[in-house]
Amino acid sequence: MIGRKWPAFAGHVATAVLCLISLFAVFSPQSAEAIPAFAEQTDQPCSSCHVGSFGPALTPMGRLFKLNGYVWDSGETGVPKVSAMLQSYLTHTEKGQDGGAAPHFAPNDNPSVDQVSLFYGGKILDHLGAFVQTTYDGIARRFAWDNVDVRYADTANFGDVSAVLGVSVNNNPTVQDLWNSTPAWSTPFSAAGLAPAPAAAPVIAGGFAQQVLGSSVYAMWDDWLYTEVGVYGNLSDRTQTILGVSPMGENRINGAAPYWRVAAQHQFGSHYVSLGTFGLSANVFPGQDRSAGTDRATDMGLDATYDYLGDEDNNFSIYAAFINEHQNLGASSVLSGTNGSNTLRSANLTAAYTYLQTYTFSLGYFDIWGSTDLGLYGDSFNGSPDSNGINAEIDYTPFGKDDAPFGHHVNLRLGLQYTDYMKFNGARSNYDGAGRNASDNNTVAAFAWFMF
């Protein structure tokens, strides 16, 4: 149930959203795009590659474009490959966050510019392409490199078997993945940076993002079986600092961390399905402390995708993922009194319906649960990592299809998100020992997401 401040906040949200919609309602709501650089290069609307005419949700064509190294083009020269993005939020939690939602912000009802990003996206050479993002974080007030995926791909035949073979160099495990069921591009596709979030997550779900660099080799066999293996290693503290990432207190990989991915896909008529598994295993120095040896985290994931893409009027997608993490905490048990070993599990299930490639409604369930460990989960009064809840989102994407008024140059998504917590950091009530309940973190957020 929403707190007493909701009516006033609802007025702010409605005014903000209606004003933004009114600015763009004079244009036909027939299309929308992902990063415009890709659309310019291919001379195709974003609805060809993205469900809802806006990233990151990929269609089968979008997955093929990424698989083949971002190099498909219309044959025209001089196509610009630089794009920009702005994400802005208005965030309300059922109860304000003591001390402010973040430094320089009030406890509640905060407008924010969460991200301003620049992208290089597209072909470099005939078989070499890239997706490179750098971001200004308006909440942390700093610049840093963001997701990077540089890849080389080509086709080959082995007797009667055809294959797309490639190499990816990237800085975030699963950012190179073709499916929206793995962590880097999973739902929700954007989230308010000032909203509370559970403390626990498997390390493959962003735990090493931007602090590592990795390389993997991949193959798509006969357009149905995908295989990939790779390794990740930590960047030096100096390199991370130059790139805008603070290495202070991070869990640092010792040596190389292997990564693997296998998925099978099939399209029959208007229906598409995929089933897969993925994983990562890393020895880490907890908090960069090398005095007691290393911990080891091993993540094993299962994922599935279903798409119905029968016509432009009606699209339906389901994304599901389960991750099991085994933690061997030899170093942390000595340094901070944690258990010697733990398990941590996460599950996510999201269904989304898109009408006219313009209006999208999605509903998702998320769950994180695992071993109780007072030494590891200090944000929980009882030492439990358990959190679960639902999230719902309504989006309006007026541009990005064939007859868009700005062609391939501009895209926009307006949305309203709601997150309801049934359990947060280990409990429904008084999870922090100071009287805060899980429902106090329930969040309503309105956002505008511009691409140009």
Side-chain angles (χ1 to χ4, degrees), residues 79-243:
V79 175
K81 299 188 174 61
V82 177
S83 298
M85 178 189 79
L86 183 147
Q87 284 185 348
S88 181
Y89 272 85
L90 182 59
T91 306
H92 170 83
T93 51
E94 187 160 329
K95 183 178 179 181
Q97 301 175 70
D98 292 341
H104 314 292
F105 288 92
N108 213 344
D109 298 338
N110 286 292
S112 61
V113 176
D114 285 35
Q115 292 187 38
V116 179
S117 293
L118 289 176
F119 300 87
Y120 177 93
K123 182 177 179 179
I124 301 172
L125 299 171
D126 283 346
H127 298 283
L128 181 68
F131 173 93
V132 179
Q133 179 183 6
T134 183
T135 296
Y136 173 74
D137 184 335
I139 294 174
R141 300 187 177 186
R142 60 179 175 84
F143 286 95
W145 76 330
D146 208 324
N147 290 320
V148 170
D149 178 25
V150 180
R151 56 176 68 207
Y152 177 91
D154 202 354
T155 58
N157 291 294
F158 302 90
D160 294 333
V161 177
S162 62
V164 177
L165 307 177
V167 178
S168 168
V169 176
N170 63 82
N171 67 346
N172 181 3
T174 74
V175 78
Q176 77 275 30
D177 201 59
L178 307 180
W179 291 271
N180 293 105
S181 45
T182 53
W185 300 116
S186 63
T187 57
F189 297 132
S190 65
L194 293 175
V203 295
I204 200 171
F208 296 131
Q210 285 81 58
Q211 75 182 54
V212 298
L213 193 65
S215 180
S216 62
V217 294
Y218 65 84
M220 179 68 81
W221 306 95
D222 273 343
D223 199 31
W224 76 272
L225 179 65
Y226 180 84
T227 58
E228 181 180 2
V229 292
V231 293
Y232 288 88
N234 246 99
L235 295 170
S236 68
D237 289 0
R238 182 183 180 191
T239 300
Q240 290 185 60
T241 301
I242 291 171
L243 294 171

Side-chain angles (χ1 to χ4, degrees), residues 35-58:
I35 70 168
F38 286 152
E40 293 280 358
Q41 175 178 291
T42 60
D43 197 28
Q44 294 291 318
C46 281
S47 55
S48 296
C49 290
H50 292 276
V51 180
S53 301
F54 203 109
L58 293 176

Side-chain angles (χ1 to χ4, degrees), residues 414-433:
L414 304 174
L416 190 64
Q417 300 173 331
Y418 175 65
T419 303
D420 183 281
Y421 288 101
M422 294 174 277
K423 185 178 286 188
F424 191 92
N425 287 353
R428 291 179 179 271
S429 60
N430 193 29
Y431 68 82
D432 61 352

